[in-house]
Amino acid sequence: MIDRDAYVEKAKANIDKWNAEIDKMQANAKEAEADAKIKYEKQLAEMRRQRDEAEAKMKEAQQASDAAWGDMRKGFEQAWDSLSESFQSAMKRFK
């Protein structure tokens, strides 16, 4: 079982990694031609939405009481896994 502090630290590390990927892709989008630029911007918007959702989940976990965390942990882990898969899928479309 993952404890809340470990969950939050893992989430922060992944969000930092995602922010770096978004920044890198934003730079690529600026250099892209018009048609590709539209595609990049659409993907970037989706990735930012997913990152924002992950940050919201992380903040919920941080603010949860110990008792609430025990009840919420599995749901958070499933939501995080789903967000991670979606973000990775979006990144692959850029490559």
Side-chain angles (χ1 to χ4, degrees):
M1 177 166 96
I2 188 169
D3 73 357
R4 182 177 44 190
D5 292 337
Y7 171 86
V8 169
E9 288 304 313
K10 179 181 173 183
K12 283 181 184 178
N14 280 322
I15 289 169
D16 288 344
K17 181 177 151 188
W18 292 0
N19 283 330
E21 289 294 333
I22 288 170
D23 291 344
K24 184 169 64 174
M25 289 177 193
Q26 182 69 47
N28 290 342
K30 287 180 182 177
E31 296 175 7
E33 301 215 6
D35 289 343
K37 194 171 200 169
I38 292 168
K39 184 178 174 183
Y40 270 109
E41 290 300 328
K42 185 177 179 181
Q43 279 305 126
L44 282 166
E46 177 64 17
M47 292 169 73
R48 287 183 187 111
R49 184 194 64 74
Q50 292 168 343
R51 180 215 41 215
D52 293 346
E53 190 175 331
E55 285 178 334
K57 289 286 183 194
M58 180 190 68
K59 287 177 184 175
E60 270 184 68
Q62 280 179 307
Q63 296 171 354
S65 69
D66 289 339
W69 171 248
D71 295 337
M72 297 167 30
R73 181 191 54 81
K74 186 171 182 165
F76 276 118
E77 289 175 358
Q78 289 172 343
W80 183 263
D81 290 344
S82 177
L83 282 169
S84 291
E85 288 174 21
S86 295
F87 191 90
Q88 296 303 320
S89 176
M91 274 186 19
K92 286 179 185 175
R93 285 183 281 215
F94 267 106
K95 296 180 181 185

